[in-house]
Amino acid sequence: MENKRATREAYGKALVELGAEYPNLIVMDADLSGSTKSGEFAKVYPDRFFNAGIAEQNLYGMAAGLALSGKTVCASTFAMFASGRAFEIIRNSIGYTHANVKICATHAGITVGEDGASHQTFEDIALMRTIPGMTVVNPSDGVSAEKLIRQVVEMEGPAYVRLGRATVPEFYTEEDSIELGKGKLLRSGKDVTIIATGIMVAEAMDAALRLQEESVDVRVIDIHTIKPLDEDIIIQAAKETGRIVTCEEHSIIGGLGGAVSELLSREYPVKIAMVGQHDAFGESGKPDELKAKYGMDASSIVQAVKSVY
């Protein structure tokens, strides 16, 4: 049986481990520490945990102040409220000052499920990647989440880390090398490249196996760091396969698909299809059913590959 874990759970575990190594680490939340799993840190280091209440703008303003006083801060809430309600504070107080705040936002995308359209943000990556100097990270499973969160905490400057509510398959192992800012080749192929991020990496791997049965040789790349983008691995894939399909649990406007298209239109134009949320709000429902309805599952990726192949 494959191991499954939500990336938010990996975040909670990583925080506890990092708290022991970095006495300068502060963790904050907006009254959602049970859901974001930042509460795991609070249990072990209560003197370094602060709950700002349901006041996300205050949360990130306080985080900026602590960071500019010399602390490293991980500040968490749901992605909708971090990127939406607190955008101005993140832009002006964290981005503009290059404060050492890590915005670790959970419950992103359609797999928030039953919480419905008000909580299913598809805009957060697009918003965060426009902030100058902001690193944007979207781990695909629990193992990569732990490794990338550690690197984000150890780097200097602001970062946005996108984490999920639902459990996802773990295909990385502790022995795998995962480097911030570097895409990961998961599967070689010569016919078409699927470039995926976050929970869509598992769907991409599933789609590649299905397509193999139809004699389509698919390359799969995990782009866990949206910004800075690993341009080399993407340009190489475009040159070697000539066809690209991007996959994200996010709007196709301004996210991974946008970033890849911006790069390739400038450096090496090829035919591109985008799998993601197509200019629509979501709705309440079971995560797997919503992924299928809104075109963010393996079957949707197979169809996208066939549209460019």
Side-chain angles (χ1 to χ4, degrees), residues 282-301:
E283 63 184 285
S284 179
K286 296 185 183 304
D288 285 344
E289 293 176 1
L290 292 171
K291 282 196 295 182
K293 178 173 180 177
Y294 288 92
M296 286 175 280
D297 61 357
S299 295
S300 303
I301 298 171

Side-chain angles (χ1 to χ4, degrees), residues 61-269:
M62 292 163 62
L66 285 164
L68 293 171
S69 299
K71 303 296 184 182
T72 298
V73 185
C74 288
S76 296
T77 184
F78 288 2
M80 180 70 252
F81 309 133
S83 63
R85 187 171 296 159
F87 178 79
E88 180 199 349
I89 309 303
I90 290 171
R91 179 193 185 274
N92 288 338
S93 297
I94 296 173
Y96 183 60
T97 65
H98 204 66
N100 201 25
V101 177
K102 322 305 174 180
I103 303 142
C104 299
T106 70
H107 292 63
I110 200 76
T111 50
V112 175
E114 290 83 354
D115 286 358
S118 63
H119 286 52
Q120 294 163 345
T121 178
F122 306 110
E123 310 86 11
D124 55 318
I125 293 173
L127 287 166
M128 290 297 151
R129 64 183 284 259
T130 64
I131 298 176
M134 181 70 72
T135 295
V136 180
V137 182
N138 188 23
S140 57
D141 73 350
V143 175
S144 63
E146 286 186 39
K147 290 177 178 287
L148 290 165
I149 287 162
R150 171 174 290 277
Q151 293 174 53
V152 162
V153 167
E154 291 172 347
M155 63 168 262
E156 185 67 30
Y160 179 79
V161 182
R162 189 184 216 239
L163 302 163
R165 175 189 188 184
T167 60
V168 292
E170 292 195 328
F171 45 85
Y172 284 115
T173 68
E174 292 298 332
E175 289 70 41
D176 286 324
S177 173
I178 301 169
E179 183 181 349
L180 192 68
K182 296 293 183 184
K184 185 76 173 179
L185 177 65
L186 297 180
R187 193 177 191 278
S188 297
K190 60 178 175 29
D191 293 331
V192 62
T193 300
I194 300 175
I195 298 175
T197 189
I199 68 158
M200 294 300 289
V201 175
E203 300 288 343
M205 292 293 282
D206 186 3
L209 289 174
R210 296 189 197 182
L211 287 158
Q212 184 177 11
E213 296 176 358
E214 300 182 38
S215 300
V216 182
D217 192 20
V218 177
R219 182 179 305 191
V220 178
I221 297 171
D222 176 6
I223 294 291
H224 46 69
T225 308
I226 311 292
K227 184 185 175 187
L229 192 66
D230 186 347
E231 298 186 352
D232 291 342
I233 197 171
I234 294 170
I235 294 170
Q236 180 182 2
K239 289 180 176 178
E240 292 177 355
T241 68
R243 306 172 183 89
I244 301 289
V245 174
T246 62
C247 304
E248 58 196 309
E249 188 197 11
H250 181 275
S251 173
I252 61 168
I253 303 168
L256 174 68
V260 170
S261 296
E262 290 162 15
L263 169 65
L264 293 181
S265 66
R266 183 176 71 244
E267 298 292 338
Y268 195 84

Side-chain angles (χ1 to χ4, degrees), residues 38-49:
S38 68
E40 300 303 308
F41 183 93
K43 293 173 187 175
V44 185
Y45 309 104
D47 58 329
R48 288 192 274 149
F49 177 83

